[in-house]
Amino acid sequence: MIRVLVWNEFMHEKDEDNKASSIYPDGIHNYIAGFLGKEEDIEVSTATLDDENCGITKERLENTDVIIWWGHCGHHKVPDEVAVLVQEAVLNGMGAIFLHSAHKSKPFMRLMGTSCSLTWRESDDLERVWVNVPSHPIAQGIGRYFELPGEETYGEPFGIPTPDELIFTGWFEGGEVFRSGCTWTRDNGRVFYFQPGHETYPTYKNPDVQKIILNAVRWCNPVIRIPDAMDCPCLPRVHSFNK
Ligand code: ZN
């Protein structure tokens, strides 16, 4: 079984004035957990900002194969220590999938080490997501491209390290293009960033989007989990914080 933890800040969906509350009344995390949980090889759980320590502990991550992260306006509410736990688990081999506005989440920024900034517009643009690497496991079952009738427009420059592989390119009818599906390896862990998923559109109900997230879970499933060979109190594992 692949043990998946879907993490979501769960803020927009609880705001009755936000469209997200009617599209995902139980939250984006539960929606994603719902379609992934139908797979025989996947065991799924969820966590949000409302849980103690964001529902993240070292032990829980040791028992997680792949974490999926959705966040937007609550990035700053995630304690730095939680971001470090996620980063360290990925270095040990845990897979991580960052969706949409999670490009500015603390765990993603720590794993990338760059600004992770981008340009954006909210203008109801159609997005056409092109498959650049049809042989990649994450692109299986997707045609040459698929379309989302409405998405938030994300544009370059995207402040990420050059991806190991650029699986998808998003084109928006306003003219922007964006590196919409990127992979990296960080020590032993596989990382996938996937751009679609603004909370006011039913993007996660799209069958191609669901297929890509499912493919990404299987691709990110750890090959190996190993502790840091230089784990020693006098040698910080990753950059930590001055308290
Ligand atoms: Zn958004």
Side-chain angles (χ1 to χ4, degrees), residues 70 72 100-101 120 122 151-152 154 197-200:
W70 198 102
H72 179 217
H100 187 61
S101 38
W120 82 97
E122 286 189 62
E151 241 311 325
E152 181 179 18
Y154 273 14
H198 187 63
E199 67 277 2
T200 61

Side-chain angles (χ1 to χ4, degrees), residues 18-19 35 47 49 70 84 100 115 131 139 151-152 156 199 205 207 226-227:
N18 191 306
K19 270 192 202 168
F35 67 76
L49 268 182
W70 198 102
V84 170
H100 187 61
S115 72
V131 176
E151 241 311 325
E152 181 179 18
E156 298 286 339
E199 67 277 2
K205 300 184 179 183
I226 49 174

Side-chain angles (χ1 to χ4, degrees), residues 69 78-91 98 102-116 159 161 186 191 236-243:
W69 196 279
V78 175
D80 293 335
E81 291 77 6
V82 167
V84 170
L85 285 177
V86 174
Q87 180 189 18
E88 289 185 341
V90 171
L91 299 181
F98 294 90
H103 68 92
K104 271 290 188 185
S105 66
K106 287 183 180 181
F108 185 70
M109 292 187 71
R110 290 187 69 85
L111 286 160
M112 296 296 112
T114 54
S115 72
C116 301
R186 289 293 182 263
V191 178
R237 175 75 202 281
V238 296
H239 175 74
S240 49
F241 301 91
N242 294 322
K243 290 287 174 192

